[in-house]
Amino acid sequence: MNRFELAGRLTATSGPRHTPSGLPTARVNLRHTSTQIEAERERPVDVETELVAYGDIARALGGVENGSELRLTGFIDRKSARDTRLELHVTDFALLAPARPDLTIKE
């Protein structure tokens, strides 16, 4: 199985743009904070990660305002044929809460 589910606040969006073949693509940054249990102890988690989306999902994500709370699902792949670093590919998302003006991320 290759699947992820991640909830957090959208901090940046790049796109939608298009690949050389014309496929819409968007890169988004998501900040996730939570507390997880590991080895019977609480572990605070505070990470920001970049994710990529293609097609209709890229178009839709490109219209979401920074500061919005999202739940993203998708799969993990390598960044490219020559780059084996992980890349999270979004295949679906849900808007959990729209951006609030008092919490919007300033760039």
Side-chain angles (χ1 to χ4, degrees), residues 38-89:
E38 181 179 43
E40 300 177 17
R41 295 182 182 209
E42 288 189 355
R43 178 184 181 119
V45 176
D46 187 354
V47 297
E48 187 164 337
T49 189
E50 182 183 69
L51 303 98
V52 64
Y54 294 96
D56 291 340
I57 298 296
R59 281 192 202 97
L61 272 175
V64 176
E65 188 176 354
N66 284 352
S68 298
E69 293 283 336
L70 302 173
R71 183 180 66 239
L72 306 173
T73 56
F75 64 93
I76 301 168
D77 195 6
R78 62 192 310 156
K79 212 162 172 62
S80 70
R82 296 182 192 178
D83 188 345
T84 59
R85 289 180 295 167
L86 293 181
E87 183 167 70
L88 303 174
H89 289 248

